[in-house]
Amino acid sequence: MAILSLLGSSNAFFLSQTPRSFYKPTTSKRTSLSETTTTLTESLDTIFASLVKVNPSDDDEKLDLPTFLKWEEMEELLSQELLTLSDLETLYNKAISDSSSGLTLTEFKQLNDEIDNLTQEQEEPSPSPSPVPTNPSLASIFASLQTNSLVTFHQLSEWDEMRDLVATNLLSLTDLEKIFNDVIDSPSSEGLTLSAFMQLNDAIDNVLEFESESQSQAQSQAQSQSKQIASPLLQPLLSKIEKFAMSESSPACLTSDEFFDEDVLAMVDALEASTTLSENLQAQSIAGDWELIYTSSSLMKFHSGLTGLSSTFKGEFAQLKQSLNLNPYEQSVEYTEKIKTLLPKPLLASVKGNWTFKKTRSLISGANIYMLNVEPDTVKYLKTSTRADHWKSVRSANVSDLTFLSSEVRVMRGNTSRSTVFIWKRI
């Protein structure tokens, strides 16, 4: 999946990547650099001088990689698919004698000859299909971001494309930092080289493809599970919960009494007994965004929510969302709790951490079960941020067992307290 198709950007950057090889099939044919410059009555000396903006006889000036790649001749090579960005960088690095500075005029001429030799060998097209062209703007983007031929994490995170990805929740800053550290040439380096910048592009594309596939698998599994369940007992349970929540103005039924909870528990027992969970559920099956519509948790009832901030701010619990995020680097979770206060806008509290989902054995019955383990890390509200291990209330749903799953509803029970029930509805 290309990032731009997700962002709707016209400035294409994350495209399907082409093989990194010098001899790349193409139907394009290019006039050599020497012939081109002769036609334009412009020597390589003059071109070199214009690129480094110094007198062509001054051999002390060097041509760095970003400037070389922005040269229109190199962009033409890329647009004609005669060489890739990786090829040009490799040729450049082979041509220079001092990697800390750049090309001298002599090395620039030698590199020109080498490129001519390579491109002339590609005149006969290969019968295999032409791959998707590499976007020549990648080099220009790198050049616009870099300082001393390196792109730092700060420069990368301030780039508009990255900010759009983070803003649309396609990628978190934590994920971006992990990818950055994975592709950087060495831990001591201050930033990404062009080659590492390209690897980062590939890695981000892979993450988005993984998430897209995961969402498709989750949807497919959920649909399959819902068809298998098709229980007539689900809707009466949901109707009972919704009726109480509306009539009592009690989101998640936090104000329910023991009699109501006993009725719900009996209906959950019957629902679970009438269905069977799939044997092949994976983390993708429950990944996504959920809203808590019912809980019998005494801890949550006591604290009037997950964080207990409703009591602190003399407000009312309004909503609790749970986002189970899944990507190749981590499984992150975020709870978002909405609390009505005397302020015009509701107070929002965020609890972030990690989660795992695995098939295990019940501590009570000994039966095989699916267990969700949530490890809260931080709690944030207003301008306050603190570690979650200081908050006893957020532990209420840390370890729970999956007992029912459909395309829209998930029922969880406390791992050590079967009477503690959480019912989540997919958003």
Side-chain angles (χ1 to χ4, degrees):
M1 175 191 300
I3 291 178
L4 293 198
S5 63
L6 293 168
L7 296 179
S9 172
S10 59
N11 181 17
F13 165 49
F14 294 95
L15 301 175
S16 299
Q17 297 300 299
T18 56
R20 302 294 193 250
S21 61
F22 289 138
Y23 303 102
K24 183 177 177 182
T26 179
T27 56
S28 303
K29 190 173 181 179
R30 176 183 172 275
T31 304
S32 71
L33 294 179
S34 299
E35 294 177 58
T36 303
T37 53
T38 300
T39 304
L40 298 174
T41 65
E42 184 178 28
S43 69
L44 288 175
D45 301 68
T46 306
I47 293 175
F48 183 84
S50 65
L51 292 174
V52 298
K53 295 186 174 70
V54 296
N55 190 301
S57 62
D58 185 358
D59 195 52
D60 291 336
E61 291 296 333
K62 307 292 180 67
L63 177 61
D64 62 21
L65 178 59
T67 306
F68 173 71
L69 292 174
K70 291 178 67 175
W71 179 24
E72 62 182 12
E73 287 290 342
M74 295 303 101
E75 292 193 343
E76 181 183 352
L77 278 175
L78 293 170
S79 66
Q80 292 182 2
E81 303 176 59
L82 295 174
L83 291 175
T84 66
L85 284 168
S86 180
D87 298 337
L88 289 176
E89 184 180 12
T90 300
L91 289 171
Y92 176 93
N93 290 331
K94 287 173 61 178
I96 60 177
S97 57
D98 183 0
S99 59
S100 64
S101 51
L103 290 171
T104 63
L105 175 58
T106 301
E107 292 165 347
F108 177 69
K109 292 179 178 179
Q110 293 172 349
L111 177 57
N112 165 65
D113 293 337
E114 179 69 16
I115 292 175
D116 278 348
N117 293 335
L118 285 172
T119 54
Q120 286 170 7
E121 292 181 18
Q122 300 187 57
E123 293 184 358
E124 292 300 324
S126 167
S128 60
S130 297
V132 180
T134 300
N135 188 351
S137 67
L138 182 55
S140 299
I141 293 171
F142 177 84
S144 66
L145 296 174
Q146 61 83 33
T147 301
N148 297 325
S149 298
L150 294 175
V151 173
T152 66
F153 179 76
H154 176 72
Q155 290 168 328
L156 182 68
S157 61
E158 289 298 311
W159 178 30
D160 288 344
E161 294 288 355
M162 292 299 102
R163 298 180 71 171
D164 286 343
L165 280 175
V166 173
T168 52
N169 295 320
L170 293 174
L171 193 72
S172 69
L173 279 176
T174 301
D175 293 337
L176 181 60
E177 185 174 11
K178 288 185 177 181
I179 298 173
F180 180 91
N181 292 331
D182 284 345
V183 302
I184 199 166
D185 291 340
S186 67
S188 61
S189 178
E190 296 181 357
L192 302 177
T193 61
L194 175 60
S195 177
F197 186 68
M198 292 169 60
Q199 292 177 39
L200 180 123
N201 161 58
D202 292 338
I204 291 178
D205 225 7
N206 290 337
V207 168
L208 295 186
E209 288 176 2
F210 177 87
E211 290 180 344
S212 177
E213 291 173 1
S214 297
Q215 291 173 0
S216 298
Q217 291 176 11
Q219 183 178 11
S220 176
Q221 286 189 4
Q223 289 175 347
S224 175
Q225 182 72 9
S226 64
K227 289 179 181 178
Q228 176 188 357
I229 294 170
S231 174
L233 301 177
L234 177 59
Q235 193 54 49
L237 172 62
L238 297 180
S239 297
K240 183 178 183 65
I241 290 172
E242 182 180 3
K243 182 178 179 180
F244 180 90
M246 293 183 65
S247 63
E248 301 295 327
S249 298
S250 178
C253 302
L254 281 187
T255 61
S256 61
D257 58 26
E258 59 181 315
F259 301 106
F260 181 83
D261 289 340
E262 287 176 359
D263 290 343
V264 171
L265 183 59
M267 296 179 75
V268 170
D269 287 339
L271 178 65
E272 293 169 347
S274 68
T275 61
T276 304
L277 288 172
S278 169
E279 290 292 330
N280 301 311
L281 292 179
Q282 304 294 328
Q284 293 94 329
S285 306
I286 64 171
D289 299 327
W290 302 83
E291 180 180 354
L292 184 67
I293 61 172
Y294 171 82
T295 183
S296 61
S297 168
S298 58
L299 193 59
M300 284 196 66
K301 288 177 180 290
F302 178 80
H303 291 284
S304 299
L306 182 68
T307 62
L309 291 173
S310 296
S311 300
T312 304
F313 286 91
K314 301 185 184 305
E316 295 181 1
F317 171 84
Q319 186 185 53
L320 180 64
K321 293 182 181 179
Q322 182 190 60
S323 296
L324 299 173
N325 305 306
L326 183 65
N327 63 53
Y329 293 89
E330 66 176 358
Q331 293 181 190
S332 62
V333 61
E334 180 175 10
Y335 291 101
T336 304
E337 186 175 39
K338 183 186 294 185
I339 300 169
K340 292 181 180 178
T341 66
L342 296 177
L343 300 174
K345 293 184 179 180
L347 171 69
L348 295 180
S350 171
V351 180
K352 294 184 178 181
N354 298 304
W355 66 283
T356 58
F357 181 72
K358 62 181 180 179
K359 192 174 183 180
T360 184
R361 186 174 295 275
S362 170
L363 297 176
I364 297 176
S365 67
N368 289 327
I369 57 171
Y370 290 99
M371 183 174 73
L372 172 64
N373 186 13
V374 175
E375 297 181 1
D377 182 50
T378 58
V379 178
K380 294 183 179 181
Y381 62 96
L382 299 178
K383 295 183 179 181
T384 301
S385 178
T386 183
R387 292 192 58 81
D389 54 12
H390 298 159
W391 293 69
K392 182 179 179 181
S393 60
V394 301
R395 306 172 192 168
S396 57
N398 277 11
V399 183
S400 54
D401 300 338
L402 175 67
T403 59
F404 176 88
L405 180 65
S406 73
S407 58
E408 296 183 355
V409 175
R410 171 166 56 92
V411 177
M412 312 293 297
R413 287 188 185 247
N415 185 253
T416 58
S417 175
R418 304 297 290 172
S419 62
T420 299
V421 176
F422 300 88
I423 301 179
W424 300 88
K425 189 171 185 179
R426 192 180 289 275
I427 302 174

